[in-house]
Amino acid sequence: MKVVRGRQVTTNRPWGAVPIAELSGLSVKIHWTDQAYRWHINDGEEVFVVLDGTVDMHHRVNGQEHVIELGDGDVFFAEAGCEHLAVPRGEARILVVERVGSP
């Protein structure tokens, strides 16, 4: 058994992660950050849940950039091949479920 208080997670660097579990080839982690990530495409699907804070999720569809504001409890599902970039507004804590080893 494990209990993690998601809103209390901190790490020593942006996008540092606290591992929660591995489930049938999927990793579940809570990331803390106060800086943007980078444009990337995961090697599979990704579920991104904002636990605390506000994150602007940039994503590209047919070469067009779109931005969606995500707040506490909001979920972003990136299908395989979805190019995206997360930009927090201040500190944020995010639960991420993706394939083990995904960038």
Side-chain angles (χ1 to χ4, degrees):
M1 176 165 153
K2 181 187 279 189
V3 174
V4 178
R5 306 283 182 207
R7 290 183 178 193
Q8 297 172 4
V9 167
T10 58
T11 61
N12 61 0
R13 62 181 173 81
W15 293 99
V18 173
I20 305 301
E22 285 191 13
L23 310 166
S24 302
L26 298 175
S27 72
V28 180
K29 299 176 185 175
I30 297 176
H31 292 268
W32 171 89
T33 192
D34 61 356
Q35 297 178 26
Y37 195 58
R38 59 177 168 76
W39 281 102
H40 67 286
I41 299 172
N42 294 76
D43 60 356
E45 296 85 5
E46 175 184 25
V47 174
F48 184 101
V49 182
V50 177
L51 300 176
D52 183 49
T54 302
V55 177
D56 289 330
M57 182 61 78
H58 299 245
H59 63 287
R60 292 186 178 137
V61 178
N62 298 322
Q64 290 277 79
E65 185 174 336
H66 303 272
V67 180
I68 299 171
E69 179 184 304
L70 302 173
D72 296 358
D74 288 341
V75 178
F76 178 81
F77 172 67
E79 296 176 342
C82 174
E83 187 176 17
H84 57 286
L85 160 72
V87 181
R89 297 183 193 172
E91 289 188 21
R93 289 154 182 92
I94 302 115
L95 178 80
V96 175
V97 181
E98 61 191 354
R99 285 187 185 164
V100 171
S102 189

